[in-house]
Amino acid sequence: PQCCTSLLFAARQLTVQMMQNPQILAALQERLDGLNGSPSGYMESLPKVVKRRVNALKNLQVKCAHIEAKFYEEVHELERKYAALYQPLFDKRSDIVRAAYEPTDEECEWKVDEEEELTVSKQEEMKEKAKLEEEKKDEEKEDPKGIPEFWLTVFKNVDLLSDMLQEHDEPILTHLQDIKVKFSDPGQPMSFTLEFYFEPNEFFTNTVLTKTYKMRSEPDESDPFSFDGPEIMSCTGCTIDWTKGKNVTLKTIKKKQKHKGRGTVRTVTKTVPNDSFFNFFSPPEVPENGELDEDSEAILAADFEIGHFIRERIVPRAILYFTGEAIEDDDDEYDEEGEEADDEEGEEEADEENDPDYDPKVSTQPGS
């Protein structure tokens, strides 16, 4: 046993010495990079007979990808089928929002969850207070029609959409009455269209603004293993017929220009693009070769995410985004990630404390 202990100690010492030798470390790293460090290196080290079998498995994987593509095509068909079942409910929602239909007392009853129920006395107190406030409001003005600013409130409650909103967009979005999703017809290439319905307003003459997303649900021949379900390939907006002087996607700026020879200065008026939610209806065009510059690529990537989110979450669950309940659910999904981020932050703080140059007396806060 003592002999074994000595051998183990010697082995550890040798390991420590090797790890401190930069030449040995470099040689080890090169060896690892050539084999297990990269998949290609490892593959090269396999016997030819094993490589053949690996190729057979890859061919099977390609066939799996094609079956998966068919699966998603059938899912799209199911979405189309169930969209027709949902639509009457969404139409009634729209009627209530825009005051075309007044729900009955029975339709307005909502049972509060037991855990959310208040004591009877508290409920009575709140009812009395609400009644007094309503009477006061009735004296001040007429009852509001439908649910005012329903879709604007939904947009403002969702970070992904509120980031697109500018102050000058809000008066326009108070006229938004409904958003619908239309799926492509059977046998047609996979796509969906978002339809934004507006009541008559002073900003533009369109009653409907549309955004169509074309999708593909088949593996790319040049890279079949990257297939992970349908992907949006391109999108098309629509022309907004703005009333004169109301186009919020453009702004007029005045620029001073100095004449090189005479030195005189003149003021030039230019019309330039302006930040607005309504730029959503004028996405960058995807060229036939599919190549885009970095800015256009970033804009389209964000655009695809927004279009998908409106289709998948906003339209089906609009009332829950209006009340904020869906936002709480979305936040819960990210709780774990948030905890991980907190841990990482803690690690960074610890590193600062272990840093010999770190001085806690020196504040890193702006303006300190």
Side-chain angles (χ1 to χ4, degrees):
Q2 189 175 358
C3 178
C4 290
T5 305
S6 300
L7 284 171
L8 284 169
F9 179 75
R12 286 198 193 100
Q13 287 289 97
L14 183 60
T15 303
V16 170
Q17 289 172 13
M18 286 173 66
M19 291 297 102
Q20 289 173 347
N21 188 321
Q23 290 179 331
I24 292 174
L25 279 175
L28 280 170
Q29 188 63 52
E30 188 179 345
R31 177 65 178 159
L32 287 170
D33 289 344
L35 292 173
N36 297 333
S38 62
S40 58
Y42 175 69
M43 284 297 299
E44 288 301 318
S45 70
L46 293 175
K48 189 178 287 187
V49 67
V50 176
K51 286 181 189 175
R52 284 181 70 257
R53 293 167 193 148
V54 168
N55 288 339
L57 295 186
K58 288 168 78 174
N59 284 324
L60 290 175
Q61 190 62 42
V62 171
K63 289 179 181 178
C64 286
H66 283 283
I67 291 172
E68 190 179 0
K70 292 292 180 188
F71 164 78
Y72 283 114
E73 284 175 14
E74 292 193 25
V75 168
H76 189 69
E77 293 297 324
L78 274 175
E79 283 184 311
R80 184 189 292 110
K81 174 187 171 182
Y82 279 89
L85 300 177
Y86 286 128
Q87 198 53 53
L89 302 176
F90 294 157
D91 288 342
K92 195 164 191 177
R93 175 180 71 188
S94 175
D95 288 344
I96 294 171
V97 167
R98 60 192 178 89
Y101 172 76
E102 183 61 36
T104 65
D105 289 343
E106 187 181 350
E107 288 174 319
C108 293
E109 279 183 20
W110 179 255
K111 185 169 174 19
V112 180
D113 291 342
E114 286 182 16
E115 58 188 31
E116 293 176 10
E117 284 181 359
L118 301 168
T119 59
V120 176
S121 58
K122 188 70 175 175
Q123 283 182 343
E124 291 301 321
E125 183 186 328
M126 289 183 71
K127 278 182 184 177
E128 190 62 33
K129 189 176 179 183
K131 187 180 176 183
L132 290 170
E133 284 180 3
E134 277 194 26
E135 286 175 2
K136 189 179 178 183
K137 283 180 183 176
D138 287 345
E139 290 172 10
E140 291 174 1
K141 58 181 180 180
E142 294 179 13
D143 284 343
K145 303 295 182 187
I147 303 181
E149 302 185 1
F150 178 81
W151 290 101
L152 173 60
T153 304
V154 169
F155 278 38
K156 289 170 81 170
N157 280 347
V158 178
D159 289 343
L160 189 65
L161 302 178
S162 65
D163 288 346
M164 301 167 66
L165 292 185
Q166 305 299 319
E167 195 174 333
H168 48 250
D169 294 325
E170 294 188 15
I172 309 174
L173 287 170
T174 60
H175 299 287
L176 179 58
Q177 294 187 311
D178 199 10
I179 305 175
K180 293 182 180 180
V181 180
K182 288 287 177 69
F183 292 94
S184 52
D185 293 329
Q188 295 298 311
M190 194 183 289
S191 69
F192 68 91
T193 300
L194 301 176
E195 298 178 339
F196 295 72
Y197 288 80
F198 287 83
E199 65 183 351
N201 61 79
E202 62 182 294
F203 300 97
F204 46 70
T205 57
N206 312 63
T207 54
V208 185
L209 300 181
T210 61
K211 184 74 169 287
T212 300
Y213 290 88
K214 293 180 181 175
M215 301 189 296
R216 182 180 69 180
S217 181
E218 57 185 33
D220 187 338
E221 287 184 13
S222 61
D223 186 17
F225 302 133
S226 65
F227 181 73
D228 192 27
E231 57 180 332
I232 296 171
M233 300 304 295
S234 65
C235 56
T236 312
C238 66
T239 301
I240 301 177
D241 300 318
W242 294 100
T243 306
K244 190 176 180 182
K246 298 291 185 179
N247 188 347
V248 294
T249 65
L250 297 173
K251 64 181 176 181
T252 304
I253 60 168
K254 290 182 178 180
K255 207 172 183 181
K256 290 184 177 180
Q257 289 183 343
K258 190 174 182 180
H259 193 281
K260 290 181 180 177
R262 294 193 296 270
T264 54
V265 177
R266 66 171 183 171
T267 302
V268 179
T269 302
K270 289 179 70 176
T271 301
V272 297
N274 193 26
D275 288 339
S276 168
F277 164 76
F278 291 90
N279 289 322
F280 178 70
F281 299 98
S282 304
E285 288 186 17
V286 179
E288 288 185 12
N289 61 11
E291 291 180 8
L292 292 163
D293 58 60
E294 282 186 22
D295 288 345
S296 297
E297 217 167 79
I299 291 169
L300 276 182
D303 191 303
F304 293 171
E305 183 183 1
I306 291 160
H308 183 74
F309 191 82
I310 292 173
R311 168 197 156 180
E312 291 283 324
R313 309 293 285 271
I314 298 297
V315 172
R317 309 177 74 199
I319 182 57
L320 301 181
Y321 283 99
F322 177 82
T323 61
E325 291 163 86
I327 300 156
E328 291 169 13
D329 291 344
D330 289 347
D331 289 343
D332 289 343
E333 289 177 17
Y334 292 99
D335 275 353
E336 289 183 13
E337 289 182 22
E339 286 168 12
E340 287 174 12
D342 290 343
D343 290 343
E344 288 171 11
E345 192 177 323
E347 286 172 13
E348 285 179 11
E349 288 173 3
D351 288 342
E352 283 179 345
E353 289 172 7
N354 293 330
D355 185 348
D357 297 327
Y358 173 68
D359 185 354
K361 294 175 186 175
V362 179
S363 174
T364 55
Q365 295 297 323
S368 297

